[in-house]
Amino acid sequence: MTSTDMVTQGDRTSTIERSDSAIAMLDDQGTVVGWTRAAEGLVGYSAGDVVGRSAALVLPSSGKAPTISAFVERCRAQNGWSGTTSVRHKDGRVLSVSLRISMLRGHHGTVGWLVSLTDIGRVSWGAMNESVRESLLARTPIGVVVRDPDLRCTWVDDTMERHDGVPRDRRLGRRFNEVVPGAQADVLETMMRQVLKTGVTGFHEYRLRLPADPRREHSFAVSIFCLLDADGQVLGVCVISIDVTESRRARERLTILSEAGTRLGRSLDVMRTSQELADLAVPLLADYVAVDLEQSVPYGEGPPVRLGSTGERLVFRRAGLASIHRGIPESPFVRGEPVLVQQASPFMDVLRTGRSHLEPFLGDAPHSWIDEDPVRARKIRENGMHSLMVVPIRARRALLGVVLFIRTEDPGPFQDVDLLLAEELVGRAALSLDNARQYAREHTAALALQRTLLPHRLRGGTAVEAASRYLPADMENGVGGDWFDVIPLSGARVALVVGDVVGHGINAAANMGRLRTAVHTLADMELPPGELLAHLDDTVQRLAEEDADASDQPPAVVGATCLYAVYDPVTRRCVMARAGHPPPVIIDPRGEVTVPDLPTGTPLGTGLGVPFESVELELPEGSLLALYTDGLVESRDRDIDVGIRRLGTALAQPGRSLEDLCTGATETLRGETPSDDVTLLLVRTRVLSPARVASWTLPSDQSSVRDARRLAARQLTEWGLERLEDPTKLIVSELVTNAVRHATGPVGLRLIQHHVLTCEVTDASVCSPQLLRADSADENGRGLFLVAQLSRRWGARAVAGGKVVWAEEDLTAGAPPARTGGGPPEPGERPQRMSAERPVRPAPSRASRVRVPQRE
């Protein structure tokens, strides 16, 4: 039995017979027997003018025009006619119209004709040409029913039986609700009576489930016209209907694809994109949709799975879920959970072949694949799943996942046209998912690279206690080029550095690693902060030029900012300089916050050649020094100065551990979405006790060598380091001898006991010693070779007015020295000899000195 469902009144523009269409009814000889007010409005003739007369009245006179009788015979042979022609207006004008003639059949096999005319010039179909209009009218079957004032069927065309499944003999002489009972029929009859009463054309849209196709619902658009006789009295109504099922579905498909272009791909998160795909398809295409991604795709890890490579059991992860039911009862898995693919299932066929699977009637076949999966079988039965599509997500010949489309409440099964739409939709989503996968892979690689390059353990020695935090930016912006370091220097000093390379991703992380290596190299050269930044600036420019040469492109401006500081626990002095980086925040032991007036400097890589100025600070013991990147203190809705003040407030808590302070400071961003990496380096300064430092000034003569050995031995005895006396005396003897021989003026000797024993000799020469090969016949030139053999490392640094040559020894007796810098020759090599000293770049003679007063 035919069933009907109530729907709201449809869009009037969805019907072919619009309100500006003229409707007339002819008998089998071409005589007008019914007329409408719309027809009078189109050609100017009233019902009294044309009813009972030949339709030739409105046809233009032309030798080429066929006679009415010939035209009727042609229509009878073709069961109707449609196309474009001309008609004559009552005032003599000739109008171009779209004409459609439908054959009607009445009682006892009588034949009539329904004529529909639409003025082409008045139809707002845009730039649609005449051939397109004619093709549209010719290919769109319409159903016609003519009813008398009692709404009983008097005429009907053959198309109506295909629309609602009611045969002509059963329809003639009956009302609509007698052959198609239901609420929908009552609504249509009410509209017919309204049209009979007012003469105004009515429109409606309804849905039917036909006996020949009970699983599929059809949509029909209806236009109802009032027919008048020669006296202008109501003759009945003409009901014209058109099956708009496919056109409605086409509009829905266009809606889905249009929304796909705007909704998909807005995020580089594969999970979010998968959920957007599921939300888009429900309920326009399916009642339930699940998006399952191959498990490596969400995290960008591992190689992509190639189509056809299903030898091993694949594991997918549910990334998107949507349903017309709240709570999504159809899914046995929640988002993020792994989903196993059964070997005996259409899913495996899809993965193996890369082609979609359509199962219009799910589980109808005996012994189907559903029986092999009890969990899915139970869900299918409980939720009434009756139609299935499985579409693979493919990109670059790689399998990213599969999408399941299922119908439950919608009784119509999926058809081939639905599969084409699903494939188009998934294809568009695949591009977005592939971009997101590529980004996830790059983000994961960049994050791994950055974490590998950043220090795993901060070594502050006896100079500082250190702690740090690094928080990568969110997924929308990716990993940046932040780095930080605590670098041990000679003389118990330590270098502190924080930098930020412009940009995000793996290139920024790689550039960060190159700059971090450059800073380590320059720090080992014992360069002061301002000079180190100048060399680093040159390095950035050179790297940019090298990258440009490799890509045959003009050199790009590769920017970076950096703050470099050197702290000496013996003097409590900290010298720092910055290149476009935010200033440090200093909190004294009582919690007072200070932001030193440190010259900003230009960012690295700009090529401006502006020198970097250094500032020297004197810090009380226990001072807290915060170095950070702008991601911690700057945001879209907050000025950097406000962020710096908030940071100072968060850190001004004396007595708390550095780890707690790091956590508290970074939590100031809670609730915000950082657009850049967040890096924070906290150090608390220590002071080396004067009892662990011994200094002497010696005259520049040979007698000073003997005195230096004696003074060093006595000091080691006081420290309880008698086990180091012999190697230390040899080191002191060689270094002092070198100073006396190659320099003028007083010679300084200093011993520092911290985690190692440091021996320093200062002189007024700006040249540092250098290891060279010593021949077997040479009497001199082996002094530095001995120093290198006896120390763990040695070197020289420039100071105001000269240089310092230093050597370090392990405090553990008998421990082999870990040599860096000038080491001994490899086995088989000839010993090196002392050569003429090479120049050491002197430190700047002038530096701004700012004293941070120490409170009593």
Side-chain angles (χ1 to χ4, degrees):
M1 181 176 181
T2 303
S3 63
T4 62
D5 292 325
M6 182 70 178
V7 297
T8 57
Q9 183 167 332
D11 182 2
R12 298 186 178 187
T13 61
S14 65
T15 64
I16 294 298
E17 309 302 336
R18 301 164 58 90
S19 60
D20 53 1
S21 296
I23 300 297
M25 187 174 174
L26 313 180
D27 63 13
D28 60 346
Q29 299 300 317
T31 301
V32 178
V33 295
W35 198 248
T36 62
R37 293 177 182 176
E40 180 179 355
L42 177 62
V43 297
Y45 293 99
S46 65
D49 295 331
V50 296
V51 174
R53 303 178 64 180
S54 173
L57 177 66
V58 297
L59 295 178
S61 59
S62 173
K64 298 181 181 180
T67 62
I68 288 297
S69 59
F71 190 71
V72 169
E73 289 302 321
R74 184 195 303 178
C75 292
R76 187 186 299 272
Q78 299 176 358
N79 197 27
W81 186 86
S82 64
T84 58
T85 187
S86 300
V87 296
R88 184 173 50 242
H89 194 274
K90 186 176 182 179
D91 60 11
R93 291 182 289 118
V94 176
L95 307 175
S96 295
V97 298
S98 295
L99 175 66
R100 182 163 192 161
I101 300 178
S102 302
M103 179 183 288
L104 305 179
R105 300 182 186 275
H107 293 283
H108 311 298
T110 55
V111 175
W113 306 96
L114 185 88
V115 180
S116 170
L117 302 94
T118 303
D119 187 351
I120 295 176
R122 292 171 57 186
V123 177
S124 56
W125 288 351
M128 187 180 297
N129 59 35
E130 179 177 318
S131 62
V132 174
R133 299 188 193 101
E134 183 176 349
S135 175
L136 175 62
L137 290 173
R139 296 180 183 180
T140 307
I142 63 173
V144 180
V145 176
V146 177
R147 298 183 180 275
D148 62 18
D150 293 329
L151 302 183
R152 299 187 179 279
C153 176
T154 57
W155 299 89
V156 63
D157 70 350
D158 295 336
T159 304
M160 278 306 301
E161 183 175 349
R162 298 198 299 270
H163 278 188
D164 56 19
V166 179
R168 181 174 64 251
D169 294 340
R170 181 183 171 193
R171 189 190 308 270
L172 289 171
R174 293 182 174 86
R175 291 165 48 181
F176 186 56
N177 60 5
E178 292 176 346
V179 294
V180 184
Q184 186 66 73
D186 295 337
V187 172
L188 283 175
E189 290 205 351
T190 300
M191 292 188 64
M192 294 177 197
R193 293 189 182 93
Q194 185 71 16
V195 171
L196 288 172
K197 180 179 179 180
T198 63
V200 178
T201 303
F203 301 90
H204 190 63
E205 188 171 315
Y206 66 96
R207 295 175 183 170
L208 291 177
R209 197 169 296 121
L210 306 180
D213 190 9
R215 290 177 176 264
R216 185 183 181 190
E217 193 174 60
H218 290 254
S219 298
F220 296 93
V222 176
S223 299
I224 306 173
F225 300 87
C226 182
L227 291 174
L228 305 177
D229 60 13
D231 298 327
Q233 299 299 314
V234 174
L235 182 64
V237 291
C238 174
V239 182
I240 298 177
S241 65
I242 178 172
D243 189 339
V244 295
T245 303
E246 294 304 322
S247 62
R248 172 173 291 277
R249 294 199 175 195
R251 289 196 302 270
E252 292 175 349
R253 296 185 188 103
L254 290 176
T255 300
I256 295 174
L257 295 179
S258 176
E259 291 189 18
T262 57
R263 291 174 58 179
L264 295 178
R266 294 179 299 180
S267 169
L268 289 175
D269 185 345
V270 293
M271 298 292 286
R272 187 182 305 176
T273 302
S274 300
Q275 186 60 45
E276 289 174 350
L277 171 60
D279 292 337
L280 182 61
V282 173
L284 293 178
L285 182 58
D287 298 328
Y288 163 70
V289 171
V291 182
D292 295 338
L293 298 181
E294 197 276 322
Q295 62 178 351
S296 67
V297 174
Y299 308 105
E301 299 174 350
V305 176
R306 294 296 175 184
L307 290 173
S309 58
T310 58
E312 297 182 359
R313 199 176 191 186
L314 295 178
V315 178
F316 287 78
R317 194 167 297 276
R318 185 135 293 179
L321 276 175
S323 171
I324 61 174
H325 300 113
R326 179 173 297 181
I328 314 183
E330 300 93 335
S331 177
F333 310 100
V334 300
R335 286 189 69 204
E337 282 189 348
V339 179
L340 295 179
V341 177
Q342 299 295 327
Q343 293 291 330
S345 70
F347 306 101
M348 188 58 65
D349 294 335
V350 170
L351 301 179
R352 183 175 59 256
T353 64
R355 294 191 297 268
S356 302
H357 172 80
L358 171 62
E359 197 165 341
F361 307 108
L362 184 59
D364 280 2
H367 308 293
S368 67
W369 62 272
I370 298 177
D371 299 330
E372 304 295 328
D373 190 345
V375 175
R376 285 192 175 94
R378 185 176 64 255
K379 285 291 183 180
I380 290 173
R381 290 191 298 269
E382 290 175 352
N383 296 280
M385 302 180 185
H386 64 85
S387 192
L388 166 72
M389 293 188 297
V390 183
V391 180
I393 308 174
R394 299 170 295 182
R396 308 172 191 264
R397 293 191 58 79
L399 177 68
L400 305 185
V402 293
V403 184
L404 282 70
F405 300 88
I406 292 178
R407 281 183 175 168
T408 56
E409 298 297 326
D410 187 343
F414 287 120
Q415 302 180 28
D416 290 337
V417 66
D418 297 314
L419 183 60
L420 291 175
L421 174 61
E423 290 177 336
E424 176 67 21
L425 181 62
V426 173
R428 297 192 180 194
L431 295 176
S432 300
L433 286 170
D434 187 51
N435 290 335
R437 178 181 67 92
Q438 297 280 354
Y439 175 81
R441 290 173 61 89
E442 180 176 327
H443 182 272
T444 301
L447 187 59
L449 175 62
Q450 188 174 44
R451 288 176 173 170
T452 300
L453 294 174
L454 290 176
H456 298 276
R457 183 172 61 90
L458 299 177
R459 297 183 300 159
T462 56
V464 295
E465 176 191 1
S468 64
R469 286 292 185 277
Y470 167 68
L471 304 176
D474 61 355
M475 287 294 293
E476 292 292 331
N477 296 280
V479 176
D482 287 11
W483 89 92
F484 60 93
D485 254 320
V486 177
I487 306 173
L489 301 177
S490 63
R493 299 171 306 131
V494 68
L496 311 172
V497 57
V498 168
D500 185 2
V501 176
V502 173
H504 294 87
I506 195 166
N507 289 333
N511 288 330
M512 175 273 289
R514 298 159 85 180
L515 292 187
R516 180 171 180 255
T517 301
V519 170
H520 268 269
T521 301
L522 295 172
D524 287 342
M525 295 173 62
E526 304 278 359
L527 297 177
E531 189 174 350
L532 182 142
L533 291 180
H535 282 283
L536 194 60
D537 184 39
D538 295 337
T539 301
V540 173
Q541 295 181 54
R542 186 175 66 255
L543 292 176
E545 293 171 357
E546 291 175 356
D547 292 341
D549 292 340
S551 59
D552 296 327
Q553 297 291 331
V557 178
V558 180
T561 64
C562 184
L563 173 63
Y564 184 81
V566 175
Y567 173 70
D568 188 345
V570 177
T571 63
R572 294 188 290 107
R573 291 180 178 175
C574 183
V575 182
M576 60 183 65
R578 60 177 175 146
H581 203 81
V585 175
I586 301 175
I587 297 92
D588 70 10
R590 298 187 61 180
E592 184 176 339
V593 180
T594 303
V595 179
D597 186 12
L598 184 62
T600 304
T602 60
L604 302 172
T606 58
L608 299 178
V610 178
F612 298 95
E613 300 182 39
S614 299
V615 168
E616 184 175 284
L617 311 173
E618 187 173 330
L619 303 177
E621 181 178 5
S623 296
L624 183 65
L625 190 61
L627 284 69
Y628 52 91
T629 56
D630 54 4
L632 180 65
V633 295
E634 189 176 28
S635 66
R636 297 181 181 91
D637 56 353
R638 183 183 65 201
D639 187 72
I640 189 171
D641 291 334
V642 176
I644 292 176
R645 288 195 296 269
R646 289 179 57 183
L647 175 62
T649 302
L651 297 178
Q653 303 182 55
R656 293 193 65 184
S657 68
L658 293 186
E659 291 294 334
D660 290 344
L661 291 175
C662 278
T663 302
T666 52
E667 284 182 350
T668 59
L669 291 177
R670 181 173 295 173
E672 302 177 8
T673 301
S675 59
D676 200 358
D677 289 5
V678 172
T679 300
L680 174 63
L681 174 62
L682 292 183
V683 296
R684 182 169 284 136
T685 63
R686 296 167 175 163
V687 174
L688 201 60
S689 170
R692 301 174 67 181
V693 180
S695 302
W696 303 275
T697 301
L698 305 172
S700 182
D701 56 47
Q702 290 297 329
S703 62
S704 297
V705 177
R706 183 179 62 254
D707 294 339
R709 289 197 299 265
R710 178 178 49 81
L711 293 172
R714 186 176 63 189
Q715 187 62 51
L716 292 177
T717 301
E718 293 182 6
W719 286 341
L721 299 176
E722 295 89 346
R723 59 189 179 279
L724 300 179
E725 180 177 337
D726 290 339
T728 303
K729 288 167 65 176
L730 283 173
I731 292 172
V732 169
S733 177
E734 295 298 335
L735 295 183
V736 173
T737 298
N738 193 44
V740 171
R741 180 176 301 174
H742 296 285
T744 60
V747 176
L749 173 62
R750 184 169 71 165
L751 297 180
I752 305 174
Q753 180 196 3
H754 47 116
H755 66 283
V756 294
L757 176 65
T758 302
C759 174
E760 297 181 345
V761 174
T762 307
D763 59 47
S765 173
V766 295
C767 296
S768 65
Q770 181 179 357
L771 280 176
L772 292 177
R773 297 183 183 276
D775 293 332
S776 59
D778 292 340
E779 298 181 359
N780 300 309
R782 297 181 176 83
L784 284 185
F785 175 73
L786 290 175
V787 172
Q789 290 286 347
L790 296 170
S791 61
R792 65 191 303 272
R793 65 173 189 158
W794 71 277
R797 67 176 183 269
V799 295
K803 70 173 183 297
V804 174
V805 183
W806 53 268
E808 294 179 351
E809 300 176 72
D810 287 314
L811 296 180
T812 303
R819 296 180 177 86
T820 58
E826 295 295 330
E829 289 187 347
R830 301 176 61 186
Q832 296 176 323
R833 61 182 174 85
M834 180 89 69
S835 71
E837 295 180 330
R838 57 184 175 87
V840 176
R841 300 186 66 171
S845 58
R846 295 183 181 179
S848 303
R849 296 179 179 269
V850 179
R851 178 180 176 85
V852 179
Q854 183 174 7
R855 298 182 180 273
E856 297 297 332

